[in-house]
Amino acid sequence: MQKTTIIVSAQDGLTNRTATRFIEVANRYKSRLTICRPGHTINAKSLLGVLSLKVKRGDEIEVMADGPDEEKALEALVKFIEEEP
């Protein structure tokens, strides 16, 4: 299992359009992917789950990956979050 903590830089956070694109990236991988915030852990491949976190710009989240391609999956998700305008 690998995990990292990251600050969301996307202007709108992880809402609607950005969350949909985030999930598209997550679904490219076989690993189990989760996002954690205090008191909440959700499946990073679930649109409703991601939207339920109500992640805003500047929020800190922990992204975890566990599985055969965990390193690549985590790298791709972190890159997406860091580069999303």
Side-chain angles (χ1 to χ4, degrees):
M1 176 192 286
Q2 293 193 18
K3 62 183 175 178
T4 190
T5 301
I6 189 164
I7 296 175
V8 176
S9 61
Q11 184 68 27
D12 296 328
L14 288 179
T15 57
N16 300 329
R17 180 183 59 84
T18 306
T20 300
R21 292 199 342 253
F22 178 85
I23 291 161
E24 288 172 356
V25 172
N27 279 310
R28 296 179 192 158
Y29 301 94
K30 294 180 180 180
S31 294
R32 181 174 185 262
L33 304 170
T34 56
I35 301 174
C36 300
R37 288 189 69 191
H40 303 284
T41 300
I42 59 97
N43 178 350
K45 296 179 181 182
S46 164
L47 180 59
L48 290 177
V50 173
L51 292 175
S52 74
L53 288 179
K54 298 180 182 175
V55 176
K56 296 180 177 108
R57 183 179 191 166
D59 286 352
E60 184 177 274
I61 59 173
E62 183 176 68
V63 181
M64 295 185 293
D66 187 23
D69 53 3
E70 62 189 33
E71 188 174 325
K72 289 181 182 181
L74 190 60
E75 183 180 304
L77 292 176
V78 168
K79 182 178 177 182
F80 177 85
I81 292 170
E82 288 180 340
E83 293 180 357
E84 185 64 24

